[in-house]
Amino acid sequence: MLKKCRLLSLLLIPVSFLVKPAAAAEVVLYSSNNVETVNRVVELFTKKNPDIKVSVVRAGTGALMQRIKAEAANPLGDIFWSGGLATIAEFKAQLDPYASPQANTVAAAYRGPNGLWLGTNVHVNVLMVNARQVTDGALPKSWSDLSDPRWKGRLVIPDPERTSASFVALYGIRQTLGKAMLSRIARNATIVGTTSAAYDGVAKGEFAVALTMEYAAYEYVAGGLKEIKLVYPSEGTFMSVEGMALIKGAKHPAEARKLYEFLASKEAQTDIFKSAFRRPLRTDIDVSTLSTLPALSAVKVVPLDEEKMSQDRAAFLAEWREIISAR
């Protein structure tokens, strides 16, 4: 009789005590974007998806892609946003193909094979000049102007091994103007470890000129710093296209696709431009109507072969190290 009572007591335990509650939905975002941009995106996304928690891991593009590769057997991230397509392409074995309904808003050249990645925004390489620091002549108008000895110690360039946009610009200079010109420019330059160290240095007057990205320089212009000028080099500049990708074997694939679609949307990309001045790749957004920046069609751009650039990356960086060590 006692055994029957115990059995009956077990049967009467509320089901809620026996069933574990479902884990809250989560997505792990690996991002090389700055804190402000990432925070803005997370804020907008969670307003639309309050049931999904976004966890963020921030680092440089190269470091994050290496981390994704190292974690291949047990992925800890779900989605990567955003980094240079040349760098992303090197790690395509770690990516999961996805056919986004919004992919056709981006030119085919910026979409990965079988949907392995999708271009989100484009960085246009510019010269950021602090006019107050240029009292001995005209502002530079071209890449080749940077080889003039008067820029010695006054030019700052981010390390191309650590920043994908700097790699694209220096690789482009090497391809179009040759190794000798790249070497003469490098002799005048101070090399810094981060992109922010370059544009902050010019804004503070520590340097006169930085090789940097349009959005970074324009933040100071939009902020009212009248001495900051953007120069689009006369030989033509280079674009560093950034994109996003889903991580193969991700633990939260459905949530990752939701965030992917949000990042691809016109709403999100327009907001990111308004708040961070990052040119969207969507063909239905014209930044010249939202800012004083020129339309991309008005900028002389020298096209670079993304696949060849990816293949040449290791060799170029080895050559760059030789150039720097020989200064």
Side-chain angles (χ1 to χ4, degrees), residues 121-155:
N121 61 283
V122 56
H123 294 307
V124 177
N125 288 111
V126 299
L127 300 179
M128 176 181 174
V129 185
N130 188 324
R132 287 186 180 176
Q133 303 303 316
V134 184
T135 57
D136 57 347
L139 274 59
K141 296 179 180 178
S142 65
W143 297 117
S144 55
D145 281 351
L146 300 179
S147 65
D148 190 314
R150 77 186 181 103
W151 300 114
K152 178 76 172 178
R154 302 166 70 196
L155 166 66

Side-chain angles (χ1 to χ4, degrees), residues 51-68:
D51 57 326
I52 301 177
K53 176 188 174 184
V54 182
S55 299
V56 179
V57 176
R58 283 190 65 258
T61 298
L64 286 172
M65 298 310 293
Q66 289 290 354
R67 176 170 178 160
I68 291 169

Side-chain angles (χ1 to χ4, degrees), residues 6-316:
R6 286 177 178 172
L7 179 58
L8 182 59
S9 296
L10 287 172
L11 291 174
L12 292 175
I13 293 175
V15 174
S16 60
F17 285 97
L18 298 175
V19 179
K20 291 184 178 179
E26 181 184 11
V27 60
V28 181
L29 170 64
Y30 283 5
S31 182
S32 58
N33 283 304
N34 60 39
V35 172
E36 294 79 12
T37 303
V38 173
N39 287 349
R40 179 62 177 165
V41 162
V42 171
E43 177 190 359
L44 292 173
F45 178 76
T46 51
K47 278 184 180 179
K48 286 184 168 292
N49 302 273
D51 57 326
I52 301 177
K53 176 188 174 184
V54 182
S55 299
V56 179
V57 176
R58 283 190 65 258
T61 298
L64 286 172
M65 298 310 293
Q66 289 290 354
R67 176 170 178 160
I68 291 169
K69 183 178 181 179
E71 294 172 352
N74 180 33
L76 300 180
D78 299 306
I79 177 173
F80 170 77
W81 172 74
S82 63
L85 297 190
T87 304
I88 292 175
E90 289 186 56
F91 298 86
K92 58 186 176 183
Q94 279 71 53
L95 308 179
D96 203 23
Y98 173 58
S100 169
Q102 301 185 84
N104 61 3
T105 65
V106 175
Y110 309 128
R111 305 197 299 257
N114 301 317
L116 282 177
W117 59 82
L118 180 66
T120 52
N121 61 283
V122 56
H123 294 307
V124 177
N125 288 111
V126 299
L127 300 179
M128 176 181 174
V129 185
N130 188 324
R132 287 186 180 176
Q133 303 303 316
V134 184
T135 57
D136 57 347
L139 274 59
K141 296 179 180 178
S142 65
W143 297 117
S144 55
D145 281 351
L146 300 179
S147 65
D148 190 314
R150 77 186 181 103
W151 300 114
K152 178 76 172 178
R154 302 166 70 196
L155 166 66
V156 60
I157 296 177
D159 185 346
E161 295 199 61
R162 300 187 185 186
T163 63
S164 57
S166 184
F167 162 69
V168 170
L170 295 171
Y171 176 86
I173 293 171
R174 170 68 173 85
Q175 292 295 103
T176 56
L177 301 178
K179 182 180 178 180
M181 178 59 71
L182 180 63
S183 298
R184 288 198 291 272
I185 293 171
R187 279 199 292 270
N188 289 336
T190 296
I191 311 302
V192 292
T194 64
T195 305
S196 60
Y199 57 72
D200 280 347
V202 171
K204 293 174 182 176
E206 297 168 0
F207 301 97
V209 186
L211 189 163
T212 190
M213 294 172 286
E214 180 187 56
Y215 86 89
Y218 189 72
E219 284 185 347
Y220 294 97
V221 174
L225 216 58
K226 294 181 180 179
E227 62 267 33
I228 299 301
K229 310 297 180 184
L230 275 65
V231 175
Y232 298 83
S234 59
E235 302 99 335
T237 190
F238 313 101
M239 297 197 314
S240 178
V241 178
E242 289 193 338
M244 61 181 169
L246 298 176
I247 298 170
K248 183 183 287 186
K251 294 180 173 62
H252 312 102
E255 292 80 5
R257 286 193 292 272
K258 273 194 175 183
L259 180 54
Y260 189 104
E261 287 301 319
F262 175 77
L263 291 168
S265 71
K266 184 175 183 179
E267 174 194 1
Q269 293 196 15
T270 299
D271 189 279
I272 291 168
F273 177 77
K274 287 180 177 179
S275 60
F277 308 115
R278 294 179 180 234
R279 280 187 186 263
L281 274 175
R282 287 185 66 109
T283 55
D284 55 0
I285 304 175
D286 179 3
V287 302
S288 67
T289 65
L290 304 171
S291 70
T292 59
L293 286 174
L296 196 58
S297 59
V299 177
K300 183 179 179 181
V301 175
V302 178
L304 296 174
D305 185 322
E306 290 280 351
E307 186 174 351
K308 186 176 189 304
M309 185 162 54
S310 178
Q311 294 170 352
D312 292 347
R313 179 180 171 83
F316 171 79

